[in-house]
Amino acid sequence: MRIVFMGPPGVGKGTQSQKLVDYLQVPHVASGDMLRKAKQGGNTLGPNASGHAALDKEVARQMDLGRLVPDTIVVEMMGRRLSQPDCTAGFLLDGFPRTLPQAESLDQCLADHGTSLDVVLALDVNPDELFRRLMARAETQDRADDTEETIRRRMQVYRDQTEPLLDYYRGGGILRTIDGMGSPEEVFSRIQAVCRAEGREE
Ligand code: AMP
């Protein structure tokens, strides 16, 4: 099953993704994790980045500020990942796509492989609850991009650049919105129900 998992920062996507990949037995392809790993390892990113440490520093700076990394870099990185053999039978995309050009590139990349997305799961939680969750996470994890200012910026970036994707996927008839309020177990059983309704959870 080829799934995109969407939702604003703090919605609980990380927790739910982990449960869902265990349940569906598909790889968890998380752009944020991949970018953080590249950043920590000092790896270069994207086709134009090799050898240009200054560009990588700039990418890292954008991440720390809660801004998006340029589409070209992310699209290339994800295209390479999705072409690997473990993604042939399906995957759970987490944090990608985040912009309309990324979504269009993803569709094109899948079409080139003769496939398409099965479903887009969108977790929905009210904004006050989101902010509370993000501040709580900032206290327990050491993420350079989890300060109050960057949290607000990331929520704004989501509203401006990522939320329009909901309409894009709604138009494609593959969007399923899931209530993200309640315990992780309650939310996960809603997600399972949607996967079952899609009839392709195996
Ligand atoms: P995440 O762990 O998904 O919240 O991602 C952490 C940071 O990585 C984001 O705030 C962005 O700076 C960057 N990032 C992750 N995924 C993308 C993407 N699809 N497009 C652009 N930037 C991204």
Side-chain angles (χ1 to χ4, degrees):
M1 202 170 182
R2 295 175 187 84
I3 307 174
V4 166
F5 203 12
M6 282 186 63
V11 77
K13 251 186 324 151
T15 310
Q16 296 299 332
S17 303
Q18 206 45 62
K19 286 175 179 287
L20 193 52
V21 293
D22 289 346
Y23 175 62
L24 295 174
Q25 292 292 302
V26 291
H28 180 202
V29 181
S31 52
D33 289 350
M34 291 166 71
L35 287 166
R36 268 187 295 279
K37 207 181 266 174
K39 186 177 133 192
Q40 278 157 15
N43 292 348
T44 51
L45 295 165
N48 305 315
S50 48
H52 296 285
L55 178 57
D56 281 351
K57 264 195 210 118
E58 180 56 22
V59 167
R61 205 177 68 90
Q62 296 298 324
M63 287 175 69
D64 290 344
L65 288 171
R67 299 204 177 106
L68 294 186
V69 169
D71 285 341
T72 46
I73 289 178
V74 182
V75 163
E76 208 271 343
M77 177 182 82
M78 299 308 278
R80 243 183 300 144
R81 178 68 187 92
L82 294 177
S83 301
Q84 287 169 9
D86 64 325
C87 290
T88 316
F91 48 74
L92 180 72
L93 278 175
D94 174 3
F96 177 87
R98 255 177 160 97
T99 66
L100 211 45
Q102 289 182 17
E104 288 165 352
S105 299
L106 173 62
D107 283 348
Q108 188 57 54
C109 169
L110 294 175
D112 290 346
H113 289 87
T115 60
S116 59
L117 291 173
D118 293 305
V119 67
V120 175
L121 305 173
L123 272 185
D124 193 33
V125 170
N126 82 54
D128 292 344
E129 170 66 12
L130 281 183
F131 189 72
R132 197 193 60 70
R133 287 188 190 181
L134 282 169
M135 290 306 288
R137 184 172 79 180
E139 280 160 24
T140 57
Q141 293 181 13
D142 185 24
R143 275 183 57 159
D145 59 353
D146 264 358
T147 65
E148 179 166 348
E149 195 194 338
T150 52
I151 287 169
R152 287 195 192 284
R153 186 175 298 125
R154 288 168 67 221
M155 291 175 78
Q156 187 65 43
V157 164
Y158 181 82
R159 272 193 297 274
D160 293 346
Q161 304 200 51
T162 309
E163 237 170 35
L165 294 189
L166 298 177
D167 278 341
Y168 177 78
Y169 288 127
R170 196 175 286 117
I174 55 170
L175 182 73
R176 304 287 177 270
T177 304
I178 293 155
D179 179 5
M181 297 297 284
S183 70
E185 291 72 28
E186 283 166 338
V187 176
F188 186 60
S189 58
R190 289 177 205 134
I191 293 173
Q192 278 178 308
V194 170
C195 289
R196 271 197 298 272
E198 292 302 310
R200 303 194 203 135
E201 77 268 37
E202 268 135 58

